[in-house]
Amino acid sequence: MEFVGEVKDRASWALHFAQVKANIKQPQRSHKVQVSGKTKTGKPYTYEYKYADLADVDKSVMEATKKVVDDKGNVQFTYFFDVNNTDQGVDVQTILVDVSGFYAVTNKVWFKNFNVGDAQKTASLISYAKRYSLSAAFGIASEDDDDAQDVKNIEEPKVLSKQELDNYTVYYNGIKANLAELYQEAVDGIADAQDWIRGSHTPQDAQAIYQLNQSYKRREKDKQEALKKAEEEAKKEEKLREAQRSEEKPKQEDVSNLFGTLPADGEYIK
């Protein structure tokens, strides 16, 4: 959670936030949905569950904020959403605002939109993301609703083969791009590619990025080990050459007494 505002106003924000949370009544899970399908082994399944939708959660929070007022009855705390809808997915943050002007921004929640171009399903996904973010901000327990069925039915990511990884494509700035090439651009220092790699991804995209990252680390490790080995071999060869030069160097004969000893008077004594 990110906090914005004057430090002196943070105490006011914290007090009113705590008061709102204390007054929240858990919303009734008045909606019911039936889920059916097949497991990965082909076995059919069906189950039902209840949930509180966005309207239920919003009502619970707003009723609590109405109880946190000053002497004149003015509400001291409120919230709103920051929604970002792109061809990659939907992300939502909840902005928690105090009367002092101090506010907090919750961590971003992001969901892949598998129905880009379908306004109704996209709206449902946004609704789900809002409910998820708001519930998390105020500690409200709510079950997943039918807006999240696409999210619930995402299969576990699989480990890709080398060929699959080499040919894996993603949506980058609205167009399909080869992930391996995009990853290499990030390694080469291209800022846009680096930002995309660090961003939010579907489980399968994240798996592919992880595998590329592991492969890159292995290659770098192999390079370092090969370089170290080459340096060690070079040192060994240099020592060997020094030893060979030492053996080939002719021995110098001691000629100090070849002409006898030179006495003080300058005549040699033989």
Side-chain angles (χ1 to χ4, degrees):
M1 188 177 289
E2 178 186 1
F3 296 97
V4 182
E6 298 291 334
V7 176
K8 63 182 179 62
D9 295 324
R10 183 163 180 171
S12 173
W13 180 93
L15 173 63
H16 294 145
F17 176 65
Q19 289 174 336
V20 171
K21 286 191 68 176
N23 281 287
I24 287 178
K25 293 182 179 180
Q26 293 295 326
Q28 293 292 322
R29 300 187 183 103
S30 56
H31 303 272
K32 184 171 65 175
V33 65
Q34 184 180 77
V35 179
S36 60
K38 291 184 178 181
T39 65
K40 292 181 179 180
T41 59
K43 184 178 180 180
Y45 65 85
T46 300
Y47 65 91
E48 292 184 350
Y49 64 92
K50 294 181 179 180
Y51 65 92
D53 65 8
L54 176 61
D56 295 328
V57 176
D58 177 72
K59 181 179 179 181
S60 179
V61 175
M62 294 308 295
E63 289 296 326
T65 62
K66 291 177 182 178
K67 296 179 181 179
V68 181
V69 296
D70 62 10
D71 295 338
K72 296 180 180 180
N74 297 315
V75 173
Q76 302 295 290
F77 203 87
T78 189
Y79 78 90
F80 64 91
F81 295 112
D82 181 18
V83 180
N84 185 30
N85 179 27
T86 70
D87 58 359
Q88 296 293 321
V90 171
D91 65 69
V92 173
Q93 291 174 287
T94 302
I95 317 300
L96 309 171
V97 187
D98 182 65
V99 67
S100 65
F102 192 94
Y103 65 93
V105 183
T106 63
N107 295 333
K108 185 182 297 183
V109 295
W110 181 89
F111 296 100
K112 176 70 176 177
N113 188 357
F114 291 95
N115 298 284
V116 176
D118 188 320
Q120 184 175 357
K121 290 184 177 180
T122 298
S124 292
L125 183 60
I126 292 174
S127 174
Y128 173 72
K130 284 181 176 180
R131 187 180 66 81
Y132 188 97
S133 179
L134 184 60
S135 297
F138 288 99
I140 296 174
S142 59
E143 297 291 336
D144 292 334
D145 59 29
D146 58 349
D147 292 338
Q149 286 188 33
D150 289 330
V151 179
K152 291 173 68 66
N153 292 332
I154 295 176
E155 293 185 358
E156 289 295 320
K158 71 171 185 175
V159 177
L160 302 172
S161 66
K162 185 179 184 306
Q163 182 177 359
E164 289 174 326
L165 194 59
D166 290 341
N167 297 326
Y168 196 88
T169 58
V170 294
Y171 279 98
Y172 171 63
N173 292 337
I175 60 174
K176 273 191 174 183
N178 180 273
L179 180 59
E181 294 176 358
L182 184 59
Y183 185 89
Q184 186 59 50
E185 288 184 2
V187 171
D188 293 339
I190 305 300
D192 286 346
Q194 291 176 342
D195 291 341
W196 188 91
I197 292 292
R198 296 191 190 102
S200 302
H201 303 287
T202 66
Q204 189 59 64
D205 286 355
Q207 172 66 31
I209 293 171
Y210 171 78
Q211 287 185 233
L212 285 172
N213 187 48
Q214 293 300 106
S215 178
Y216 174 77
K217 287 182 178 180
R218 285 194 298 270
R219 290 197 304 271
E220 288 300 304
K221 183 179 179 181
D222 291 343
K223 286 180 182 178
Q224 293 299 323
E225 290 179 350
L227 180 61
K228 183 178 179 181
K229 185 176 180 180
E231 290 176 348
E232 291 175 350
E233 290 295 331
K235 289 179 180 179
K236 288 180 180 179
E237 291 180 2
E238 181 61 27
K239 287 183 179 180
L240 181 60
R241 285 194 293 269
E242 288 180 358
Q244 290 175 343
R245 285 195 295 267
S246 178
E247 292 176 357
E248 294 172 357
K249 186 176 181 181
K251 294 182 179 180
Q252 293 184 352
E253 185 178 354
D254 185 4
V255 295
S256 59
N257 294 320
L258 184 61
F259 300 103
T261 303
L262 182 65
D265 57 6
E267 293 183 1
Y268 285 102
I269 301 174
K270 294 185 179 180

